[in-house]
Amino acid sequence: MSDFKKLKQWLQQVSFLTEEDCKTFEPYLINRKVKAKENILVQGQICKEIGFINSGAFRIFYLSEGIEINTHFCFENDFVVDYDSFLQEKYSRHYIQALEDSELTTFNLSVLQKAYNSSHNWERFGRIMAESSYKIINERVESFLFMNGEQRYLQLLKTNPQLFDRVPLYHIASYLGIQRESLSRLRKKITAKERL
């Protein structure tokens, strides 16, 4: 299956985009290979592309007093982007880094705007992407407002268990806003409870 076929298949499975919608978009897509630990965006750059992940994994993080704080992880069949920087063409505060050797299908803002102009289906798709991005950000903010570290860990274990197979624990601890040692203790505590 070619890289674009993966994106097209995903688009048609989860949305209302037609074969014709996809055909108009196809000539503008670029396939890209990214090595593990390679940054596709660094703080101070404008995010010029959205990437659909055909294979691999990425993390989005920022620096606070020299410490990396993870804010999101993306895997196959996800889009990876700093959406705010991309849409507003403003400098990003984030880094996007590959956690594994990865393959992306990418497109830029002008291509997306052409798609919007060519079809109401693409406009609807753009709205859904924006709503999805808002939901992710809102859920993360609310988890820090209304949950403690253990509750955030349990929620993550329930909603995204694959993280624990593919992402190093120190990155997960950063994402949860706790120390790595605290995460190790939490995992032992919960494992012990499950054995009772």
Side-chain angles (χ1 to χ4, degrees), residues 137-191:
I137 291 166
N138 190 59
E139 283 175 355
R140 178 155 174 80
V141 168
E142 288 203 345
S143 76
F144 277 87
L145 288 173
F146 304 117
M147 295 180 184
N148 61 32
E150 182 173 346
Q151 290 167 327
R152 287 194 296 276
Y153 167 73
L154 289 170
Q155 183 188 48
L156 189 62
L157 198 57
K158 181 181 175 184
T159 60
N160 208 343
Q162 71 167 329
L163 273 181
F164 296 90
D165 296 326
R166 297 178 67 181
V167 177
L169 280 183
Y170 64 93
H171 283 323
I172 295 173
S174 161
Y175 175 76
L176 292 171
I178 60 179
Q179 296 296 318
R180 184 178 177 176
E181 296 76 16
S182 300
L183 178 56
S184 294
R185 281 195 299 272
L186 262 178
R187 285 165 66 82
K188 284 176 187 168
K189 175 183 165 186
I190 287 156
T191 303

Side-chain angles (χ1 to χ4, degrees), residues 9-146:
Q9 187 180 63
W10 182 88
L11 288 170
Q12 291 178 327
Q13 277 177 352
V14 303
S15 70
F16 31 75
L17 292 167
T18 65
E19 184 74 23
E20 193 60 34
D21 291 328
C22 291
K23 272 184 185 171
T24 60
F25 203 50
E26 188 169 358
Y28 304 102
L29 299 171
I30 296 167
N31 292 320
R32 182 174 171 190
K33 292 189 176 183
V34 185
K35 292 284 187 191
K37 298 191 178 176
E38 182 183 337
N39 291 325
I40 61 169
L41 179 71
V42 299
Q43 185 182 39
Q45 286 181 339
I46 295 171
C47 184
K48 295 189 178 279
E49 296 177 322
I50 289 182
F52 176 81
I53 305 172
N54 296 306
S55 63
F58 291 81
R59 69 183 179 113
I60 301 175
F61 68 96
Y62 66 93
L63 292 177
S64 175
E65 298 177 359
I67 297 169
E68 295 178 0
I69 310 293
N70 293 300
T71 60
H72 193 53
F73 300 101
C74 311
F75 302 95
E76 291 85 2
N77 299 321
D78 282 338
F79 287 95
V80 60
V81 62
D82 177 342
Y83 211 54
D84 193 38
S85 172
F86 177 79
L87 287 178
Q88 298 191 54
E89 299 182 280
K90 70 179 190 180
Y91 296 118
S92 178
R93 296 177 180 175
H94 293 89
Y95 295 77
I96 301 178
Q97 184 183 73
L99 289 166
E100 305 167 356
D101 288 348
S102 303
E103 291 187 15
L104 297 170
T105 298
T106 67
F107 52 94
N108 63 32
L109 184 60
S110 66
V111 169
L112 190 59
Q113 287 170 336
K114 280 177 192 169
Y116 290 167
N117 293 332
S118 74
S119 164
H120 288 303
N121 286 341
W122 277 112
E123 283 186 329
R124 189 175 164 199
F125 173 75
R127 190 184 74 242
I128 287 169
M129 278 190 66
E131 288 169 357
S132 174
S133 178
Y134 169 77
K135 183 181 173 195
I136 288 166
I137 291 166
N138 190 59
E139 283 175 355
R140 178 155 174 80
V141 168
E142 288 203 345
S143 76
F144 277 87
L145 288 173
F146 304 117

